[in-house]
Amino acid sequence: MSNPSDRICIDASLALKWVLPEKHTDWALELLYDWISKGFKLIAPTLFIFEVTSTLRNKVHRQIISWEEGFLALDQIRRGRIELILSPKLVDRAWEISGGLRLPTAYDAFYLALAEEQNCQFWTADRNLVSILKKHKMDWARWIGD
């Protein structure tokens, strides 16, 4: 897939690094600032906000972050410039992709289906996922350390 698009599909693992101090947060923030300066539009499937909320809630529950830190992080992401997209075609394509890649769930496949549909790059903080995708010649998938 070529990348003529001005859009970038991001997943929850990447966005969470923008609001929580984690390994590779600095890389994630550099990407964000670069994309903003170049006028890229960030997109994600609608499940993105559910994944972000669930992850933050889990961190609060496990007392990794406080309730206030979790809510602030969620609010920062909600106010961000991420367009959430629901396309009727995503469900079928995510099913196909997850089966073809032998993924145990379809969550990641929704991001891939959206990037494919929008003809744009997909960026993640999940290095293992990108390793799988590169083996399947999905070179439009990028890890934050690329």
Side-chain angles (χ1 to χ4, degrees):
M1 171 189 316
S2 61
N3 187 27
S5 178
D6 65 345
R7 296 172 162 226
I8 294 174
C9 182
I10 58 139
D11 74 356
S13 70
L14 174 56
L16 286 164
K17 294 209 178 293
W18 295 333
V19 296
L20 296 174
E22 299 180 336
K23 185 176 182 184
H24 305 310
T25 288
D26 53 340
W27 294 353
L29 287 170
E30 282 181 38
L31 283 172
L32 176 62
Y33 300 145
D34 184 55
W35 293 334
I36 290 171
S37 73
K38 292 179 179 172
F40 281 101
K41 184 174 199 167
L42 302 181
I43 62 171
T46 52
L47 81 96
F48 166 88
I49 197 62
F50 305 117
E51 283 195 300
V52 165
T53 303
S54 183
T55 299
L56 290 169
R57 179 65 201 124
N58 184 273
K59 288 181 181 290
V60 169
H61 177 74
R62 292 176 27 221
Q63 299 180 344
I64 295 170
I65 60 175
S66 70
W67 186 94
E68 293 79 13
E69 290 167 325
F71 188 78
L72 178 61
L74 178 60
D75 193 50
Q76 286 177 303
I77 289 175
R78 282 192 311 207
R79 289 186 289 113
R81 301 176 183 179
I82 303 162
E83 179 185 353
L84 301 180
I85 298 175
L86 176 61
S87 164
K89 299 175 190 174
L90 289 184
V91 174
D92 292 339
R93 187 62 185 132
W95 182 262
E96 291 171 11
I97 291 171
S98 59
L101 297 175
R102 297 178 179 248
L103 299 175
T105 66
Y107 297 113
D108 293 329
F110 275 91
Y111 294 97
L112 301 171
L114 180 61
E116 185 179 272
E117 178 183 278
Q118 299 288 319
N119 193 34
C120 66
Q121 290 182 347
F122 163 67
W123 283 80
T124 181
D126 186 338
R127 182 182 249 167
N128 293 332
L129 175 61
V130 171
S131 295
I132 292 167
L133 301 177
K134 300 251 184 205
K135 289 177 188 171
H136 287 86
K137 307 213 182 323
M138 295 176 146
D139 58 349
W140 42 270
R142 301 278 193 274
W143 176 66
I144 60 173
D146 286 347

